[in-house]
């Protein structure tokens, strides 16, 4: 127990690094294409809350709870809760390393099969000329699809489905993209996050061993 209190920062670094590595593994299994719904955000809140409740109970059981520990535990729950509240009407589709032309051909083919829509494209001056925004507005509804992408041969693509009711459509697009996407190396897909995770893990372990 004293060991945990004395090394809380180092243990935190190690836990964060392992979380990043497992997240990268999940992304690899999904071929770098992931969906985010409110259900996923709620799962994140519940998972963080369970850890916080368990930790608070554990510290209380041994009579060693103080304000800093309670603040840390509550802080674990706040980020996913804030994300849920801010993005409650938005479903998301995240694509790593795909040709924009491939994405748009699949997206528009799926849309044309199911909806009547209008398309609008514009550069996003806030981020620079290399990043563009594409909007698909569904006729006769308030549903809107926002695509953020880079004008590169391969880029990461972020898709927001605003007030979109058809969750199955989002999953269909994700499945079609995975089928079309070429196999990719785990390290190539997650090289920056892996380097960051290894750095955190190294710092945490060195501090534990040295101090």
């Amino acid at each position: 127990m004293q060991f945990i209190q004395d090394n809380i920062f180092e243990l935190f670094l190690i836990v964060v690094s392992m979380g990043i590595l497992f997240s990268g593994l999940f992304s690899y299994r999904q071929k770098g294409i992931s969906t985010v719904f409110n259900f996923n955000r709620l799962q994140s809140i519940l998972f963080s809350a369970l850890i916080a409740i368990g930790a608070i109970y554990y510290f209380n059981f041994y009579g060693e709870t103080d304000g800093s520990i309670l603040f840390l535990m509550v802080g674990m729950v706040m980020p996913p809760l804030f994300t849920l509240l801010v993005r409650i009407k938005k479903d998301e589709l995240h694509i790593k390393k795909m040709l924009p032309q491939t994405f748009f051909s699949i997206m528009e083919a799926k849309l044309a099969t199911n909806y009547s829509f209008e398309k609008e494209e514009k550069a996003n001056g806030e981020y620079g000329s290399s990043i563009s925004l594409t909007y698909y507005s569904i006729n006769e509804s308030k549903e809107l699809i926002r695509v953020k992408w880079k004008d590169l041969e391969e880029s990461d693509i972020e898709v927001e489905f605003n007030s979109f009711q058809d969750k199955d459509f989002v999953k269909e697009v994700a499945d079609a993209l995975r089928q079309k996407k070429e196999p990719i190396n785990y390290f190539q897909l997650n090289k920056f996050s892996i380097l960051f995770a290894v750095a955190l893990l190294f710092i945490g372990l060195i501090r534990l061993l040295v101090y």
Side-chain angles (χ1 to χ4, degrees), residues 122-133 135 146 148:
K122 61 181 180 180
N124 190 352
E126 180 183 351
Y127 296 96
S129 59
S130 65
I131 296 181
S132 297
L133 296 176
Y135 294 91
R146 174 182 179 270
K148 177 183 171 183

Side-chain angles (χ1 to χ4, degrees), residues 34-47 79-93 161-165 167 170-171:
S34 58
T35 55
V36 181
F37 300 103
N38 284 329
F39 176 74
N40 305 113
R41 300 185 184 111
L42 182 60
Q43 281 182 318
S44 179
I45 294 172
L46 293 176
F47 180 74
L81 177 60
F82 178 77
T83 301
L84 174 63
L85 294 176
V86 170
R87 309 186 71 82
I88 194 166
K89 291 186 177 181
K90 297 180 180 180
D91 299 317
E92 299 173 48
L93 180 60
F161 296 83
N162 297 317
S163 302
F164 211 81
Q165 302 299 315
K167 312 300 180 184
V170 182
K171 295 176 183 177

Side-chain angles (χ1 to χ4, degrees), residues 122-176:
K122 61 181 180 180
N124 190 352
E126 180 183 351
Y127 296 96
S129 59
S130 65
I131 296 181
S132 297
L133 296 176
T134 299
Y135 294 91
Y136 296 99
S137 54
I138 308 301
N139 295 336
E140 300 180 356
S141 78
K142 295 182 179 180
E143 296 171 323
L144 178 70
I145 302 172
R146 174 182 179 270
V147 184
K148 177 183 171 183
W149 56 285
K150 292 184 179 180
D151 187 12
L152 301 171
E153 290 187 0
E154 263 192 355
S155 70
D156 294 345
I157 302 172
E158 298 177 9
V159 189
E160 288 184 356
F161 296 83
N162 297 317
S163 302
F164 211 81
Q165 302 299 315
D166 190 355
K167 312 300 180 184
D168 290 335
F169 175 81
V170 182
K171 295 176 183 177
E172 287 177 12
V173 172
D175 289 339

